[in-house]
Amino acid sequence: MQELVTVLSFPALLIWLLLPVALLVLAAFSGWTRNPQKLEHCWVLASRLFEGSMGATLLLAALLMAGTGVPELGRQFGLYPDGLAIWMALLVAFIGWVILRYARNYLRGDPARDRFLPWFLTTLASVLLLLFTDNLLVLAGAWVGISLALHHLLTLYSNRTEARLAALQKFLISRVGDLCVIGAVLLLYAHYGTFHLPEMLTAAGNQSETTALTAASVLFAIAAVLKCAQIPFHGWLLRVMEAPTPVSALLHAGVINLGGYLWLRLFPVFDGFTAGHLILLVVGGLTAVVAVLTMMSQASVKHALAWSTSAQMGFMLFEIGMGAYTLAFLHLVAHSLYKAHSFLASGRTVAVSSAIPLREEMSRARFAWAAAAGGLATLVLWSVPSLVNGNAVLGGVLVLAVFGAVAGIAAGTRPVVRIGLCALALAILPLYGALHWLVDPIVATPVGFVLPVSAQVTGIAMLLALALLSTLISFSACSGFSQVLRIHVSHGFYLMLPFDRLTVRLSHRIDGLKTTAHPSNRGAAVLGDKS
């Protein structure tokens, strides 16, 4: 039996090992050749590599579920093929494959097409390397490589002022994040005496908290906040709409999630609730509140999607901060798939929204339905607290999800249809319970994690603030306070202005960039790509 496992595992692990190398070689060749026919072959070959990656990953998943020694065999190659890596590898390969197929036709005839492919493949190769490795030095190098490759994708249209400014902002933020990750990895080495993650995880339960470990948690939290476009360093995420739609899809559906993945991979090396958790809880929660409210006030589909990404990343980091790692992982996967589709289908969304307004004033009846559904969800969670592991904050997130889903039902919907949609919204609760049961073995909360009372109070306060303010904006649009609030909310409470002003001045000094957009214009340019 062991020989059969080795025979099946070896080629799959070899594909994992060689796939990033093959993508980098293909990227170098596609950037070098000027032969149109050979470039088309590069597009096809890249698609085949992603298909091969998905096939090898599915084989490893089957062997892993069979209880074989795949993780131990993988570590001989410097790989870490556990459940989290398997899920993420499937997700990244699938999204990369979809975006590649979309971009092949979308960018046909565009001068940026030939430059897109090599940097796209370099970015995906770095992401896969980050997912596969069991060495934190390699992980840190891949983290830096992702940022540098993505910078070239963001500047495909370098003649656009907003695109260049967004790339500059992202470049500065990424370099700080890179330094944080490198510093945190070195601090973990100082604490554990190794760069290998399996050895760290083995020793994690036998060592006490130290200053090095606390500092590492803070640095990783800062890196995640910067990578996930959290307040007040979120303005670049709105400006990158100047990049082609495939780049936006790659960023919003893939790269921006890596801050959350970093913590899902490394949280077991920390001892319970750390200073880093507190940073994620506060910054992520604040970003979620502000970004959700701002998203509700946007008229542009793509700007609403950008604010939605910032909000969803805030929720994900908020969930990690309170130790809900399984929910955060489900959030990451769902957001990646949803946002990839949203951006690639944004043109169709614009066409539909021209016939159906994005916002319409909500009636008392719609509020009553939403409140009733939210109350019923609260009653269910009160009766079955095991659905959320007795976590009141997590329960509040699910209740808000049910309330928002029902509140979004269009006015004039027939009662029978409305009841069915309400039932679907309430189905979020058992669906989450089933998915939690399925995924929990992959990212289970470590024994002994206790969320401090102060953190619970902070989380509940943020959820209440979000519920109150969003209700005022949606259901009391005619009130004076709501109208004044909407004005400030539509600008994101101006929280991006200090960093905007700094980077605008810096951009003038670097290359004489003549910015036509004043930094007080929400930090979002008029869309110029083909979508």
Side-chain angles (χ1 to χ4, degrees):
M1 179 65 179
Q2 186 61 37
E3 293 181 0
L4 178 62
V5 170
T6 303
V7 169
L8 294 175
S9 302
F10 184 81
L13 290 169
L14 189 61
I15 291 175
W16 263 32
L17 184 64
L18 296 180
L19 180 63
V21 178
L23 290 175
L24 289 175
V25 171
L26 187 60
F29 180 78
S30 63
W32 169 78
T33 185
R34 292 296 177 265
N35 186 314
Q37 187 175 6
K38 291 182 179 179
L39 282 172
E40 288 303 315
H41 288 324
C42 289
W43 285 86
V44 175
L45 181 56
S47 181
R48 297 294 177 268
L49 287 173
F50 286 122
E51 291 169 2
S53 173
M54 287 186 279
T57 303
L58 287 173
L59 176 58
L60 288 174
L63 293 172
L64 194 64
M65 288 189 293
T68 58
V70 172
E72 291 73 19
L73 181 61
R75 289 164 198 168
Q76 298 179 18
F77 294 91
L79 303 174
Y80 194 50
D82 66 340
L84 180 61
I86 294 289
W87 280 80
M88 291 297 298
L90 277 175
L91 179 67
V92 170
F94 175 71
I95 290 178
W97 178 72
V98 170
I99 294 175
L100 187 72
R101 290 170 61 88
Y102 178 92
R104 185 181 180 185
N105 294 322
Y106 177 87
L107 295 174
R108 195 175 298 278
D110 193 315
R113 186 175 188 263
D114 294 343
R115 289 181 289 116
F116 169 84
L117 182 61
W119 292 116
F120 175 81
L121 296 180
T122 302
T123 303
L124 267 295
S126 300
V127 172
L128 291 173
L129 186 60
L130 182 144
L131 300 180
F132 295 163
T133 185
D134 70 345
N135 189 300
L136 294 192
L137 276 182
V138 177
L139 181 146
W143 180 279
V144 175
I146 293 166
S147 297
L148 294 177
L150 183 64
H151 179 77
H152 290 275
L153 289 175
L154 297 179
T155 54
L156 286 178
Y157 297 148
S158 58
N159 59 322
R160 297 183 179 180
T161 298
E162 288 292 323
R164 296 172 67 183
L165 183 58
L168 174 62
Q169 289 185 327
K170 180 67 172 67
F171 185 85
L172 294 174
I173 290 171
S174 295
R175 299 294 71 75
V176 177
D178 294 345
L179 292 175
C180 288
V181 169
I182 294 171
V185 167
L186 294 177
L187 287 169
L188 287 182
Y189 177 80
H191 180 82
Y192 287 107
T194 180
F195 287 114
H196 291 278
L197 184 58
E199 296 176 11
M200 288 187 185
L201 297 180
T202 301
N206 303 321
Q207 298 192 26
S208 59
E209 185 80 11
T210 64
T211 302
L213 205 57
T214 300
S217 74
V218 171
L219 291 178
F220 277 133
I222 294 173
V225 163
L226 295 177
K227 178 67 74 175
C228 293
Q230 301 295 280
I231 286 174
F233 305 106
H234 60 295
W236 64 269
L237 187 63
L238 309 178
R239 287 193 170 93
V240 296
M241 294 304 163
E242 288 288 316
T245 293
V247 176
S248 297
L250 174 66
L251 172 65
H252 288 259
V255 175
I256 201 169
N257 295 285
L258 292 178
Y261 170 79
L262 183 71
W263 269 85
L264 292 175
R265 170 56 78 202
L266 297 176
F267 78 83
V269 306
F270 299 111
D271 184 20
F273 188 86
T274 66
H277 285 86
L278 181 60
I279 292 174
L280 296 179
L281 182 69
V282 173
V283 177
L286 178 63
T287 300
V289 172
V290 173
V292 166
L293 298 177
T294 308
M295 176 191 67
M296 295 171 63
S297 66
Q298 300 300 303
S300 164
V301 171
K302 275 200 163 184
H303 291 166
L305 286 174
W307 280 106
S308 167
T309 296
S310 185
Q312 296 302 323
M313 293 300 97
F315 272 120
M316 181 180 67
L317 296 183
F318 176 81
E319 291 153 4
I320 292 173
M322 65 180 185
Y325 300 114
T326 301
L327 176 60
F329 175 72
L330 291 172
H331 207 145
L332 187 157
V333 174
H335 177 264
S336 294
L337 297 172
Y338 151 72
K339 200 54 66 76
H341 174 267
S342 296
F343 271 95
L344 297 182
S346 57
R348 184 173 58 198
T349 304
V350 171
V352 172
S353 65
S354 63
I356 303 175
L358 292 178
R359 288 195 318 265
E360 54 182 67
E361 186 173 345
M362 297 187 180
S363 64
R364 293 181 180 178
R366 295 174 74 183
F367 176 78
W369 278 92
L376 186 56
T378 303
L379 182 61
V380 170
L381 293 177
W382 184 274
S383 304
V384 191
S386 58
L387 277 174
V388 290
N389 296 328
N391 190 320
V393 182
L394 176 53
V397 172
L398 293 179
V399 170
L400 277 180
V402 173
F403 181 90
V406 175
I409 298 175
T413 302
R414 289 182 298 136
V416 175
V417 176
R418 188 184 293 273
I419 292 173
L421 293 174
C422 288
L424 286 176
L426 287 168
I428 291 174
L429 303 180
L431 178 62
Y432 167 74
L435 290 174
H436 188 283
W437 172 81
L438 176 67
V439 178
D440 190 60
I442 298 173
V443 285
T445 303
V447 177
F449 183 92
V450 178
L451 189 66
V453 175
S454 58
Q456 296 183 40
V457 172
T458 301
I460 292 174
M462 289 182 173
L463 291 179
L464 289 175
L466 175 59
L468 176 61
L469 294 176
S470 60
T471 300
L472 285 174
I473 291 176
S474 300
F475 294 97
S476 302
C478 296
S479 68
F481 177 78
S482 180
Q483 292 177 354
V484 172
L485 178 63
R486 184 180 291 274
I487 293 174
H488 299 297
V489 162
S490 65
H491 293 77
F493 294 106
Y494 316 100
L495 293 173
M496 69 180 73
L497 286 185
F499 188 62
D500 275 7
R501 293 188 177 117
L502 173 64
T503 50
V504 167
R505 288 197 298 268
L506 184 59
S507 66
H508 279 287
R509 293 181 182 180
I510 291 176
D511 59 3
L513 178 64
K514 303 301 181 181
T515 303
T516 57
H518 191 273
S520 63
N521 68 347
R522 302 184 200 175
V526 176
L527 297 178
D529 69 7
K530 297 187 219 174
S531 64

